[in-house]
Amino acid sequence: MSAPPPSHLVVSVVTSLPTCNRTFPNFSSSESDSLFSPFPLNSFALSPRCLFSSTMRIPKKPVAFCLSLFSPDFPAPFSSRILRLSPGFPVKIKAIHAAGANQWHAHYSMDYSPSTKLGDKALQSHLMDNSNGGENPCVWSSPEGGCKIDIGKQIFCNRSLNMRNIVAVGFDMDYTLAQYKPETFESLAYEGTTRKLVYDLGYPQELLAWTFDWKYMVRGLVLDKKRGNILKMDRHKYVKVAYHGFRELSKEDKVGTYGNTLIRDSFDEPDYALIDTLFSLAEAYLFAQLVDFKDNNPGKVPEGADYSRMYKDVRAAVDLCHRDGTLKRMVAKDPKRYINEDTSIVPMLKMLRDSGRSTFLVTNSLWDYTNIVMNFLCASRTMDGGNKCNFDWLQYFDVVITGSAKPGFFHDNRANLFEVEPESGMLLNTDNGTPMPQVGNTSPNVQPKGLNKSCRVFQGGSVGHLHKLLSIESSSQVLYVGDHIYGDILRSKKVLGWRTMLVVPELEREVELLWESRNMRKQLRMLRNERDLIEDHIHHMKWSLKFESLHDDEKQKTTSALHELESQKDQVRLAHQQAQRECHQKFHKIWGQLMKTGYQNSRFAHQVERFACLYTSQVSNLSLYSPDKYYRPSEDFMPHEFHILPL
């Protein structure tokens, strides 16, 4: 190959593609944002493998394009083939943004250096490299900022959000800023709940010997209180996975219970309970245990306790644990045992404030517990021995509201707002946030040492008070980050119009498994297409036998071919079902993929898509992006567009 002109580099792309019925495109510099078009699997399922080669001219400037990682139709060039560049021009990969569940955006630059070949393993190491974790987080505002972002820590976008329009960023605390360890915190909640059931609600002592499997339950499940069933459904509310206690229901039982009805069930309260927060996983597991216990030992449960009553008792026991402070006392004694340390939280908050934005905290926890947890998160210290909490962490917030009673906080304007005196925890009356003269000498005259005067701490109140305190002119100027799809995200989005970001800790593992299972998912799509083709042939032959006048020998040949196709259909169906089962169990042995139920988005994923503008695995992932970033979603595709338009 002759030397390229000074203004361009010549790149030769050689790849083996499993299709030969489409023309490989020629590219020019004006097409640099779409180097490869996807090839639908249904277009090559029965086609021979062909070899293509194409040469394109690309400017010396970096070229940006998008890879669709999670689509089963993602073409072969990057999944199992080799990208060959002309001598002297290797590709450098740098992740810059993940804009939706279907696309991973990459930045490719061409440098003049020795030749290279980038194959499957090299590409995976680039995509999956985690250069911002551990003890030295790669914060965007740091000198090392702008590094590539591990796929499990990217922020995904459902609706366009320009951070330049955001003037205030707010956070929930529990399971948002403070990520609890399920193996210790949920086990603590489970043990406390069983003790309350035994000692306060009359359940047998046998419950005290029960153990908790913190990996068993997942978010997005629905509990059928009347029948004692645990359900997972798709976005259309069709039940796809169902268990009675820990016993799986057959397909016939599922259809008979939830499919053959004249009126579709809404699957809402009061007959159903929604497991949409990580706090609910322990109670869901305990409910399943009680269902099995009642079925096997009907005389040992309290008299008159049906499945609904047992669920009500579990909820009452959980409330007792929270009300008497059992859980919070244990966490306060040793936060490090129950809460994950995240060294990126303080740099994230500092970066947001340095960018000119207000920051606020709205939590249902009361001040004493909030202060302990935030001290641990922001100062990386445990509250044991003689160590005493201080108020240094308040410097990262403009307003802190404790005891907010969400979701009522977002729509009930009748709640009184009290100011909290941090040193003593005393509540002071306010006039909608404005300090009021106190009768007598109830307020300390000396400002507590270390207290940041610019941050005010409150209890109660409503969103109207918060808007006034932060001088918010429009609800769309607020971004709120939380973990509870109903308590944090749905209400703030639907009622107020706040911009929202949902924290989904399970997402980090989910997207990594998606990457690992991409070939399996491609195989599933091919098997499904093969089933469709065989079934169509069978239907055509049956139609011919029924309505066409065929000679006896033709009938015999058609009938024989039909039997062969029926046998082939059964083989492909079994292979497809086995592959589906393996893919399902790769994510979770019982419930499968969090965001999928079969081929449809799960009910949980549907809620995320509807109400969360952004979603990510950890709140501190915000620190990996510019505070002025414009988050843009990937393009939506309907079924009729999927195989036509390039992804």
Side-chain angles (χ1 to χ4, degrees), residues 271-287:
D271 295 330
Y272 297 89
L274 311 177
I275 307 302
D276 285 316
T277 172
L278 294 170
F279 274 122
S280 303
L281 300 186
E283 66 189 61
Y285 189 83
L286 184 53
F287 176 67

Side-chain angles (χ1 to χ4, degrees), residues 191-206:
E191 293 164 4
T193 303
T194 53
R195 285 196 296 270
K196 298 295 182 186
L197 285 171
V198 172
Y199 297 122
D200 295 343
L201 298 173
Y203 280 78
Q205 295 272 338
E206 294 173 53

Side-chain angles (χ1 to χ4, degrees), residues 551-615:
H551 296 297
D552 290 343
D553 58 337
E554 291 178 328
K555 268 189 179 181
Q556 187 174 358
K557 288 181 180 178
T558 304
T559 303
S560 176
L562 181 60
H563 289 322
E564 290 182 11
L565 279 174
E566 291 280 8
S567 175
Q568 188 179 353
K569 184 188 79 169
D570 290 340
Q571 293 176 12
V572 175
R573 177 179 55 82
L574 291 174
H576 185 216
Q577 290 175 345
Q578 178 62 26
Q580 276 185 307
R581 192 175 300 110
E582 290 177 7
C583 187
H584 177 90
Q585 293 179 347
K586 186 178 182 68
F587 290 87
H588 191 281
K589 186 177 180 180
I590 305 297
W591 307 109
Q593 191 176 337
L594 178 69
M595 297 290 189
K596 281 281 189 291
T597 305
Y599 284 97
Q600 296 286 317
N601 282 351
S602 65
R603 174 188 162 276
F604 180 73
H606 183 55
Q607 298 288 349
V608 172
E609 189 176 32
R610 286 182 65 193
F611 301 114
C613 301
L614 307 173
Y615 63 101

Side-chain angles (χ1 to χ4, degrees), residues 78 81 217 233 312 340 353 407 501 522 589:
F78 275 91
R81 313 298 170 206
M217 293 295 178
M233 57 190 69
K312 185 178 179 181
N340 289 315
R353 293 179 64 78
M501 186 169 94
K522 188 186 299 183
K589 186 177 180 180

Side-chain angles (χ1 to χ4, degrees), residues 270 343 414:
T343 56
R414 296 171 296 177

Side-chain angles (χ1 to χ4, degrees), residues 175 180-188 212 214 281 338 340:
Y175 275 112
Y180 293 95
K181 300 176 181 179
E183 65 272 24
T184 54
F185 182 79
E186 293 301 328
S187 296
L188 180 67
F212 172 53
W214 60 271
L281 300 186
Y338 300 102
N340 289 315

Side-chain angles (χ1 to χ4, degrees), residues 222-237:
V222 177
L223 304 187
D224 184 341
K225 301 178 191 177
K226 293 194 301 183
R227 301 181 180 92
N229 296 339
I230 300 98
L231 316 173
K232 186 181 181 188
M233 57 190 69
D234 65 19
R235 65 191 180 100
H236 302 294
K237 295 187 178 180

Side-chain angles (χ1 to χ4, degrees), residues 224 226-227 237-239 252-267 272:
D224 184 341
K226 293 194 301 183
R227 301 181 180 92
K237 295 187 178 180
Y238 285 103
V239 176
E252 293 72 25
D253 288 340
K254 280 189 298 183
V255 173
T257 305
Y258 302 106
N260 293 335
T261 56
L262 293 175
I263 301 175
R264 287 291 309 281
D265 203 321
S266 63
F267 296 101
Y272 297 89

